[in-house]
Amino acid sequence: SPAGQTIILASLGDSASGTLEFYNVDTKALVVKEHYRANQVIWDPAGRTLATCVTQPIEGGHFKFAMDNGYILWSFQGKQLHQQSYETFYQFIWRPRETLLSKSQIGKVRKNLKKYEDRFEKADKERARALYLEETKGKREERQKYRDIMAVARALRREQRARHLELLNGYDNDDDANYN
């Protein structure tokens, strides 16, 4: 990776499996993915996105794997971001990015990076919490239904306790002192 912390080991070519191993040298984490028949691996200049491609020869002629043509974009962590297929696909090249900020603006961003990072971390945590609450909404509703049923059963038992003791001639089978 141009960023220097990720190594990609790829099995490329017509007879290869297309296995991609994303290895983070800092955390020693390994993620294994696959792009069948991939014959190119291209990092974006920033080192955050990777493209794996199945391209056909520019010389022309019949390409026997034409239906596999296209590319997949991956994050540097191995997460598939986008997939696109084409009947004919010859080349994938990253477009150079314009620098939209002046040198002073870049310096200001770098200076305040920790503040931005904290703000985005907080937003990410809030989004993850909202997603978790949405995913577990049904479970919480079922749990509440169960608790409501149990509350009704306990209330009924309390109401019927006197009649129960009367039927047992005063013997309380819930009293632990009766079991010696």
Side-chain angles (χ1 to χ4, degrees):
S1 157
Q5 74 181 39
T6 305
I7 296 173
I8 301 297
L9 302 173
S11 173
L12 303 176
D14 294 343
S15 61
S17 65
T19 301
L20 305 167
E21 295 179 355
F22 293 76
Y23 181 73
N24 185 315
V25 295
D26 294 336
T27 64
K28 310 289 189 255
L30 177 69
V31 176
V32 179
K33 299 291 181 171
E34 182 178 303
H35 183 177
Y36 187 63
R37 298 211 189 279
N39 55 16
Q40 288 184 2
V41 175
I42 307 162
W43 280 102
D44 84 308
R48 298 196 51 84
T49 308
L50 178 83
T52 56
C53 310
V54 177
T55 58
Q56 64 189 68
I58 292 178
E59 301 89 46
H62 177 69
F63 184 59
K64 62 183 173 181
F65 305 118
M67 64 180 162
D68 296 325
N69 286 342
Y71 65 90
I72 299 178
L73 297 180
W74 308 87
S75 74
F76 68 97
Q77 299 163 324
K79 180 181 177 191
Q80 185 174 329
L81 303 174
H82 180 73
Q83 182 171 359
Q84 186 69 48
S85 297
Y86 297 98
E87 190 172 320
T88 56
F89 188 65
Y90 299 103
Q91 187 175 25
F92 183 97
I93 298 176
W94 289 101
R95 183 184 329 181
R97 295 183 183 172
E98 280 186 46
T99 303
L100 301 175
L101 301 175
S102 67
K103 294 236 186 247
S104 64
Q105 290 172 319
I106 292 172
K108 184 178 175 184
V109 168
R110 285 189 178 144
K111 180 181 171 188
N112 296 321
L113 194 57
K114 183 65 176 161
K115 181 176 77 174
Y116 297 136
E117 183 180 340
D118 292 342
R119 186 172 72 199
F120 291 129
E121 280 289 325
K122 183 179 177 185
D124 287 346
K125 285 181 182 177
E126 289 172 0
R127 194 175 308 117
R129 176 74 178 154
L131 180 63
Y132 171 78
L133 290 174
E134 183 63 33
E135 288 174 348
T136 60
K137 183 178 179 181
K139 289 181 184 178
R140 286 194 315 279
E141 289 172 354
E142 291 297 319
R143 191 178 309 123
Q144 188 58 47
K145 286 179 190 175
Y146 173 77
R147 288 178 179 156
D148 293 344
I149 291 168
M150 291 304 294
V152 169
R154 282 189 204 100
L156 182 62
R157 182 172 165 94
R158 278 192 303 274
E159 289 175 17
Q160 296 176 349
R161 178 152 173 78
R163 177 73 177 135
H164 179 76
L165 289 174
E166 181 183 321
L167 290 172
L168 293 174
N169 296 323
Y171 178 77
D172 187 0
N173 59 353
D174 289 334
D175 185 4
D176 289 339
N178 291 330
Y179 300 99
N180 292 328

